[in-house]
Amino acid sequence: MISLTTGTTLAAEGQAVCVGCLALPKDTLVTNVQTTRNAVANSLAPQILYERMEYLGIDRACRNFSGPTEYGPIGKYMMKSMTPEKYPSMFEGTPDIKENCPAWDSFTDEDKKSFYVYVFAHFSFAESSCRPNAIAPGLRKGDYAAGLYGLHKNREDYYTRPKRYLNKCLKGDSSNGLNSTRCTLALVEGQMSGRDALFTPSAHFEPLTGTSPRHLKMQILRSNGATRYAEVPLKTFIKTSIQKYPLCK
């Protein structure tokens, strides 16, 4: 087991591998993950993801995405089900992803899947505080946003009818966390293939549009090492979290 907070040394088959730079006391970011990506970064990805969520204060709510040592049920589902064949645009990446995650082009497929677990956790927190059974009134009478990602309850299948959607949503998907995730992956893939962007005013989801009036409290690290809290728009919350994701450095 490797301690992220103490930066111990990993011994594997008689060879010592220094991982001191993987120490993550809260917001101290990984600096040399690039050189240890294949073996170390993949095994540490859930732990790195969790410590970032812990720093932002969403770790308890979003353990269905990742716990301290392994992915939660939603994270495991995404890691197992996502493939370049099913989600080509998500694995290719968009200009705004590459702008906010400079290491994207060096990512393995496993890195990319882990990245999306991380993004979906923050996205779900912005929509529902990561609650699978969340429900909120929609804009029109009788409409409801439901589940982890605020899908349109009982109309989930409507938005994936166009041909550009390789994967489809089914009516009722919002009632189940795994089904909500499958549907949301389909919607994000379709959005990326059509708009070539993760963040766009025409996104299906409010946190990705940049037009939401809602804000979230976010811990911000000052240049002198001190921290402060600030209310930031949902899009800023997600985009800044991507920029701070250690594997993106």
Side-chain angles (χ1 to χ4, degrees), residues 62 65 119-131 148-149:
C62 299
F65 289 89
V119 171
F120 271 47
H122 291 76
F123 167 29
S124 177
F125 183 78
E127 283 282 12
S128 68
S129 297
C130 294
R131 292 180 294 126
L148 287 172
Y149 313 98

Side-chain angles (χ1 to χ4, degrees), residues 2 22 33 36-49 69-71 79 106-115 245 247:
I2 301 172
L22 291 177
V33 168
T36 57
R37 183 177 304 282
N38 289 339
V40 178
N42 285 337
S43 64
L44 290 181
Q47 208 168 345
I48 294 171
L49 190 159
T69 60
E70 64 178 358
Y71 292 111
M79 294 298 293
S106 68
F107 274 13
T108 65
D109 286 349
E110 292 298 302
D111 296 330
K112 292 176 181 179
K113 290 189 285 186
S114 181
F115 169 87
Y245 182 47
L247 298 185

Side-chain angles (χ1 to χ4, degrees), residues 136-149:
L139 296 176
R140 297 183 299 180
K141 185 177 180 179
D143 284 350
Y144 294 93
L148 287 172
Y149 313 98

Side-chain angles (χ1 to χ4, degrees), residues 11-230:
E13 298 181 357
Q15 294 183 345
V17 181
C18 174
V19 294
C21 53
L22 291 177
L24 283 174
K26 299 305 180 183
D27 198 44
T28 302
L29 301 180
V30 174
T31 58
N32 80 335
V33 168
Q34 307 301 320
T35 60
T36 57
R37 183 177 304 282
N38 289 339
V40 178
N42 285 337
S43 64
L44 290 181
Q47 208 168 345
I48 294 171
L49 190 159
Y50 181 80
E51 293 224 9
R52 276 300 308 170
M53 296 196 307
E54 185 180 38
Y55 174 76
L56 293 170
I58 70 172
D59 52 303
R60 291 187 179 181
C62 299
R63 284 201 179 196
N64 44 359
F65 289 89
S66 188
T69 60
E70 64 178 358
Y71 292 111
I74 301 297
K76 289 178 180 177
Y77 171 79
M78 293 179 67
M79 294 298 293
K80 183 177 181 180
S81 65
M82 291 187 72
T83 65
E85 292 73 28
K86 290 177 66 176
Y87 305 102
S89 297
M90 294 181 73
F91 276 82
E92 174 64 25
T94 55
D96 57 352
I97 285 179
K98 295 176 182 180
E99 177 184 356
N100 290 286
C101 183
W104 178 266
D105 286 333
S106 68
F107 274 13
T108 65
D109 286 349
E110 292 298 302
D111 296 330
K112 292 176 181 179
K113 290 189 285 186
S114 181
F115 169 87
Y116 284 116
V117 174
Y118 178 82
V119 171
F120 271 47
H122 291 76
F123 167 29
S124 177
F125 183 78
E127 283 282 12
S128 68
S129 297
C130 294
R131 292 180 294 126
N133 299 319
I135 189 164
L139 296 176
R140 297 183 299 180
K141 185 177 180 179
D143 284 350
Y144 294 93
L148 287 172
Y149 313 98
L151 295 172
H152 197 160
K153 184 175 176 63
N154 291 327
R155 294 190 67 194
E156 298 91 343
D157 59 324
Y158 176 79
Y159 297 101
T160 57
R161 290 177 181 175
K163 289 184 178 180
R164 75 171 181 271
Y165 291 95
L166 297 178
N167 311 288
K168 304 297 181 180
C169 294
L170 302 176
K171 186 175 180 179
D173 274 349
S174 63
S175 63
N176 175 282
L178 297 183
N179 290 344
S180 287
T181 300
R182 174 180 50 75
C183 178
T184 300
L185 284 167
L187 290 167
V188 172
E189 168 63 27
Q191 172 192 314
M192 287 186 174
S193 67
R195 302 293 181 182
D196 198 24
L198 176 62
F199 300 100
T200 171
S202 61
H204 291 283
F205 303 98
E206 193 178 49
L208 303 180
T209 64
T211 61
S212 173
R214 294 188 293 137
H215 288 64
L216 286 173
K217 183 177 289 187
M218 186 173 193
Q219 190 173 186
I220 298 175
L221 184 68
R222 298 176 183 270
S223 58
N224 62 2
T227 59
R228 66 181 179 88
Y229 285 91

